Amino acid sequence: MRISSRTLLLCCSMMVFSHHAMSETADAQTTHPSSGTPKDKSSSPVARKPKRARATESSVLGPANPQAEEISVSAAGRHSDGTTNTTPGGGLMPRQTAPRSQSGVTRDFIAKQAPSGNISSMIANLPGVVYANQSPLGTAGDTITMRGMNQSQIGYLFEGAPLADPINYEPYTSMLIDTENLGSVTVSQGSPDLNAPLFNAVGGQITATALNPSHKYGGYLSAMGGTHSANKEFLRLDTGDIGQTGIRGYASFSHLSNNNWRGPGGLKRFHVDSKFVKEWGDDNSITAVFGFNRQEQTTWREPTAAQWKQYGTSFNYDRHYYPGNANYYKLNFGNLNSLDVVVPMHFTLAHNLTLNVTPYYVHQNGPSVGGENIPAEGGYYGTQQYGNLNQPYATNGQLTTVGVDPWNQKTGAVNTSLNWTAGNNTLSFGYWYSYTMHEELSTFSPVDFSGKAANSYGRYPITLPNGSILSGYNLNFVQQVNALYLADTLKLLDDKLTLSAGFRAVMVARQGTNDVPGADPYKVVGNYFEPLPQFAASYQITPHDQIYINGTTSFRAPESVEAYSQIFDPNSSHAVEQPGSLKSEYSIGEEIGYRHSGKLINFSISAFNMNLTNHQVTSSAYIPNTNMLISEPINVGGETSRGVQAELGLRPWHHFSPYVSAQYLHATMDNNVPVSATNAAGQSVIDYLPTAGRAMVAAPKVTASVGLSYDDNKQFFGNFDLRYIGSQWSTFMNDQRIPYYIVSDITLGYRFPHVPHLKGPKIQLNIINLGNNLYRSAPGSFASTARAQTGIYGNSVKAGAPVYLTGGNFAAFVSLSTGF
């Protein structure tokens, strides 16, 4: 545990409010889905009474009942796809009131993007957000940074629950929801909500919500086709209000497939979404959200700088197999399978007392598969050498296999908060409990001379004469999280001044074992306790102008099971990957900002400062001699990030809505990085490289986006957006980087009028990467230096070779959709 002077100051700020009467706390209107128009009660599962005492709109906590501000599937004045054409910036700048940097997107923008996208791709234009795709369809996973923090340092919430991997923190947003059902996304670039069930959000928070069910029976149907043999079919059925039960809901099914834009292989995805709402009495509701995903994707090879220069986009897995070819594409793919259940509940216990309870269950599993040649005889199981494996298809003493990683993870949790209202004060008390089990047993399956894995990819793995399964790691991991929070909000000066303070205590207990022979340590235990105070103040200068300041803290427990366990390989007599740093990452941040929400223009600007200790840079690395990528956390010590972000959006003016966002970021390393080195006697030692003061990796100084939307609200619509991403370092010594790049997308659409039995049929063309720019979109791994160096103590440090993600090329997709 660490407490700085700034942390103590935040604690004291919270205590100032303890003598006041208390009340319910919530940031009830951080994002309005249709700014400029009165909120239709039919768009909310909770129709709050106007005279009812409500939580402040500018709270340090965040939304206590996130369903209350979502968009319905259909409502008066909306198109069948949920668009309203009212949000400034063409859906990129909804009104915000939270006392922190915050941006968002609504259906006005989401519905006009390619239907194959995901939550992360929808926010690529927002200030400070760097979204690096590998596929023009947006199906290849999440690589995103905000203010130099990557996706594992950003908290992802869906319907109030953290559905990201709770150990590796990967959000896997392509699994969560179809974009046809996505209602809105809100981005908090600097800090998480105090009551959010997160313990990794040092870089901010991304909150997504699903559309609310319609009150009317009907549905929505769409079909998409385009380049790379892409196709998607989507069907949603709405029950409407079911009699007088107060229940309504919908269920949807989709299928998506495409070929990889570079190299052989492709993707197949099957997905189910469902949401049901039950309302009764005075502001009581129960919502049930269900999601199921099954997908398989051939992976891409990630080139080094030299390989990119030599091969460009031709650096891929091989289309054809020959004996011993572990780079055959059918041996390298990943499955992402998930089952999600979230049940947010809101109860009115008394006129000034409410209770929120959100239980959730998440099951995610693989496998991930990568080709590898292993010794047919004399290899290693952990540190034990094995004899003849007695397997067919061996060539020159080597056996081509698929390394199978059938990771399996289950999480059950509940997040609760009790909110008490009294006068101008709010008091909220909450508790979050989460339990996670993670199993990961790597296996090997032989490949025959035609390139087909014998016995169906790991179903019958290679076993040793003693009956043991040949494995590089056999991990069993258990995690328990307990978190308590207390917050108070006071409104003064006719509700113009809002003061909020809160305190959160998070306790994370982890225990992991590795049952591979020779694993040292066999068992690792990690326990973390962190005090996390927050303070915020905002003043409403006019009904349209607001200023705010805040001070926040957050932390992240070490990322990935690899931080706790060794990784072995049959080609090595010792571990090829050692446990990483077990120290937690801790951040303290401050912001000051101003925003204007006018009749025509929305504008916001903020300045921020953040200091981190034990900054864990997330890299990835191939297990030597394999195509299996593993997470590799690197503790680089302290970091300081300072900058300014701004955005401006106009409401529709003569049917046009422009949008501009930008950020300047100055992120530097505070410490010299320890590295492995070789002394004059040829011995391996630890030395340091002079990295203090150098720019942080994957933190471009300047990012910007420009957007222009057109919608006559009748027939024709379209938008254009352009993004500029500055150069990014991939080494801590700042001696290798990727250059800046610019990408642009365009949408053109037409709504058909007066088609019998159909509601709002439309045709839409999405063009991705309009200029067919071929570029490296982000570092896929990091190295201390790209050139041989001499450490501070005179020892020799070898050069490293970071790998890079390759951004998707030009693509065009046509979609037809309609309500009914």
Side-chain angles (χ1 to χ4, degrees):
M1 183 178 74
R2 59 191 67 78
I3 301 179
S4 70
S5 59
R6 281 192 291 176
T7 305
L8 289 172
L9 178 61
L10 291 172
C11 293
C12 293
S13 299
M14 182 198 72
M15 295 175 63
V16 169
F17 302 102
S18 60
H19 69 283
H20 294 290
M22 305 302 182
S23 64
E24 175 190 0
T25 301
D27 184 1
Q29 196 176 354
T30 54
T31 303
H32 196 297
S34 55
S35 297
T37 59
K39 182 181 176 184
D40 186 346
K41 288 184 180 180
S42 67
S43 70
S44 170
V46 181
R48 298 185 183 270
K49 295 182 178 180
K51 294 183 179 180
R52 173 178 164 78
R54 296 189 58 180
T56 174
E57 293 181 351
S58 298
S59 165
V60 73
L61 277 179
N65 184 24
Q67 288 77 24
E69 296 299 328
E70 296 174 20
I71 301 173
S72 294
V73 171
S74 62
R78 293 192 171 98
H79 298 291
S80 62
D81 58 7
T83 58
T84 65
N85 195 28
T86 58
T87 310
L92 285 167
M93 200 172 178
R95 183 171 181 260
Q96 307 290 344
T97 59
R100 62 184 179 189
S101 299
Q102 189 160 284
S103 307
V105 296
T106 69
R107 288 298 300 174
D108 286 350
F109 180 80
I110 296 169
K112 296 171 184 176
Q113 306 309 298
S116 59
N118 59 57
I119 293 171
S120 294
S121 67
M122 294 297 149
I123 61 174
N125 297 283
L126 300 183
V129 176
V130 178
Y131 171 71
N133 71 40
Q134 296 187 75
S135 166
L137 282 83
T139 58
D142 300 276
T143 302
I144 190 172
T145 64
M146 295 194 317
R147 298 182 180 177
M149 304 291 108
N150 71 11
Q151 66 274 2
S152 71
Q153 296 165 297
I154 300 168
Y156 279 75
L157 294 181
F158 178 67
E159 292 288 328
L163 301 192
D165 184 323
I167 301 172
N168 292 322
Y169 309 128
E170 288 294 330
Y172 302 127
T173 61
S174 63
M175 296 197 304
L176 292 183
I177 187 172
D178 279 314
T179 56
E180 292 88 347
N181 295 328
L182 182 60
S184 64
V185 185
T186 301
V187 176
S188 303
Q189 288 90 344
S191 61
D193 295 328
L194 188 70
N195 62 351
L198 301 166
F199 58 91
N200 69 305
V202 294
Q205 176 181 310
I206 296 174
T207 304
T209 57
L211 289 167
N212 267 349
S214 173
H215 288 276
K216 296 182 179 180
Y217 172 80
Y220 190 76
L221 176 67
S222 69
M224 181 200 78
T227 55
H228 314 303
S229 299
N231 67 89
K232 180 179 182 180
E233 300 79 43
F234 173 87
L235 173 64
R236 180 177 65 230
L237 298 176
D238 298 278
T239 66
D241 290 325
I242 302 176
Q244 302 299 317
T245 63
I247 299 175
R248 66 187 193 277
Y250 64 75
S252 71
F253 172 80
S254 71
H255 164 263
L256 171 66
S257 67
N258 66 274
N259 293 333
N260 283 352
W261 72 272
R262 64 180 182 95
L267 170 138
K268 292 182 180 179
R269 174 182 181 266
F270 300 90
H271 188 83
V272 174
D273 286 325
S274 177
K275 184 174 184 178
F276 281 78
V277 176
K278 161 68 176 178
E279 300 169 330
W280 75 95
D282 181 16
D283 201 8
N284 297 287
S285 67
I286 297 177
T287 302
V289 181
F290 171 85
F292 171 81
N293 190 83
R294 184 180 183 88
Q295 73 183 57
E296 180 178 301
Q297 170 126 32
T298 308
T299 54
W300 283 279
R301 295 186 75 184
E302 300 176 2
T304 63
Q307 290 165 336
W308 173 258
K309 183 177 180 180
Q310 181 177 358
Y311 300 105
T313 59
S314 299
F315 185 75
N316 303 309
Y317 288 111
D318 297 334
R319 188 176 299 274
H320 303 289
Y321 181 77
Y322 55 84
N325 182 15
N327 288 327
Y328 180 45
Y329 80 96
K330 288 188 178 180
L331 308 183
N332 298 277
F333 63 88
N335 282 13
L336 288 176
N337 307 301
S338 67
L339 174 66
D340 309 319
V341 180
V342 186
V343 187
M345 295 179 280
H346 179 76
F347 304 105
T348 301
L349 306 181
H351 176 70
N352 60 351
L353 187 64
T354 62
L355 173 67
N356 295 289
V357 182
T358 303
Y360 60 92
Y361 172 79
V362 183
H363 181 198
Q364 298 178 345
N365 61 288
S368 298
V369 176
E372 179 179 3
N373 291 319
I374 68 172
E377 182 179 1
Y380 292 88
Y381 171 42
T383 58
Q384 297 179 0
Q385 190 170 26
Y386 59 73
N388 196 323
L389 293 176
N390 297 314
Q391 293 291 328
Y393 315 119
T395 303
N396 298 323
Q398 292 288 303
L399 182 66
T400 302
T401 67
V402 285
V404 181
D405 177 14
W407 55 279
N408 187 29
Q409 186 180 100
K410 300 175 183 178
T411 298
V414 60
N415 189 31
T416 62
S417 65
L418 187 66
N419 312 295
W420 180 31
T421 301
N424 293 327
N425 270 81
T426 64
L427 176 68
S428 287
F429 173 76
Y431 173 65
W432 170 43
Y433 176 77
S434 172
Y435 184 86
T436 299
M437 296 185 299
H438 180 98
E439 301 171 337
E440 198 166 352
L441 170 64
S442 75
T443 63
F444 298 87
S445 292
V447 175
D448 64 23
F449 291 136
S450 69
K452 182 179 180 181
N455 302 321
S456 301
Y457 292 111
R459 184 170 297 175
Y460 301 102
I462 295 174
T463 57
L464 302 177
N466 63 4
S468 299
I469 296 175
L470 179 62
S471 175
Y473 44 93
N474 185 0
L475 310 178
N476 290 275
F477 203 84
V478 175
Q479 172 180 282
Q480 292 191 73
V481 180
N482 289 270
L484 296 167
Y485 71 81
L486 178 68
D488 180 45
T489 299
L490 173 66
K491 302 194 78 172
L492 302 170
L493 304 179
D494 294 327
D495 291 346
K496 292 182 179 180
L497 176 63
T498 302
L499 303 173
S500 301
F503 187 86
R504 188 170 186 243
V506 182
M507 295 150 280
V508 180
R510 288 174 166 175
Q511 176 178 297
T513 60
N514 189 350
D515 291 330
V516 171
D520 184 21
Y522 155 75
K523 179 179 180 180
V524 176
V525 175
N527 293 294
Y528 308 91
F529 171 77
E530 296 291 352
L532 302 172
Q534 291 190 20
F535 170 77
S538 66
Y539 184 77
Q540 203 70 33
I541 304 171
T542 73
H544 303 288
D545 298 274
Q546 180 192 33
I547 58 173
Y548 62 85
I549 59 171
N550 65 58
T552 61
T553 59
S554 54
F555 96 107
R556 183 181 70 152
E559 175 199 354
S560 81
V561 292
E562 286 83 9
Y564 296 84
S565 300
Q566 293 174 311
I567 304 297
F568 294 87
D569 187 79
N571 286 287
S572 176
S573 61
H574 53 82
V576 296
E577 178 73 17
Q578 295 291 341
S581 170
L582 297 183
K583 295 181 179 180
S584 59
E585 188 175 45
Y586 194 88
S587 72
I588 301 176
E590 302 90 13
E591 290 181 326
I592 181 170
Y594 163 80
R595 59 170 60 100
H596 171 80
S597 301
K599 295 182 179 179
L600 179 62
I601 297 175
N602 273 20
F603 171 75
S604 70
I605 185 170
S606 63
F608 56 88
N609 175 73
M610 180 172 62
N611 295 97
L612 289 91
T613 58
N614 293 314
H615 181 26
Q616 308 283 333
V617 174
T618 304
S619 183
S620 60
Y622 288 100
I623 298 176
N625 305 312
T626 78
N627 291 312
M628 294 292 289
L629 273 171
I630 59 172
S631 178
E632 189 174 26
I634 304 171
N635 189 336
V636 297
E639 178 186 349
T640 299
S641 296
R642 293 168 179 160
V644 178
Q645 71 174 55
E647 60 179 336
L648 182 148
L650 268 66
R651 298 182 189 277
W653 181 72
H654 296 285
H655 308 308
F656 287 97
S657 298
Y659 174 82
V660 178
S661 73
Q663 177 181 272
Y664 172 80
L665 174 66
H666 182 67
T668 58
M669 303 174 66
D670 296 340
N671 301 100
N672 295 326
V673 173
V675 293
S676 297
T678 304
N679 63 17
Q683 298 171 324
S684 180
V685 296
I686 297 297
D687 205 330
Y688 290 81
L689 287 176
T691 56
R694 298 182 187 270
M696 179 54 66
V697 295
K701 275 187 176 293
V702 178
T703 56
S705 74
V706 177
L708 180 63
S709 173
Y710 176 87
D711 195 329
D712 65 10
N713 226 12
K714 295 179 181 178
Q715 294 176 302
F716 295 98
F717 64 90
N719 60 24
F720 169 81
D721 63 81
L722 180 147
R723 297 181 297 280
Y724 169 88
I725 308 299
S727 61
Q728 303 175 58
W729 295 110
S730 57
T731 61
F732 303 129
M733 283 295 290
N734 294 171
D735 52 11
Q736 189 173 113
R737 64 180 177 180
I738 59 175
Y740 77 88
Y741 60 88
I742 299 174
V743 290
S744 58
D745 307 325
I746 192 170
T747 302
L748 299 172
Y750 178 79
R751 301 184 184 98
F752 297 96
H754 311 302
V755 178
H757 310 297
L758 298 180
K759 299 178 182 178
K762 70 174 184 179
I763 183 171
Q764 180 172 302
L765 170 66
N766 289 98
I767 299 177
I768 311 298
N769 194 353
L770 186 62
N772 194 28
N773 184 17
L774 301 179
Y775 61 101
R776 289 172 289 169
S777 57
S781 69
F782 305 104
S784 299
T785 176
R787 303 170 186 170
Q789 302 276 356
T790 300
I792 292 176
Y793 299 121
N795 302 296
S796 298
V797 180
K798 292 183 179 180
V803 298
Y804 298 91
L805 308 184
T806 301
N809 72 339
F810 171 89
F813 311 110
V814 175
S815 56
L816 290 167
S817 61
T818 185
F820 57 87

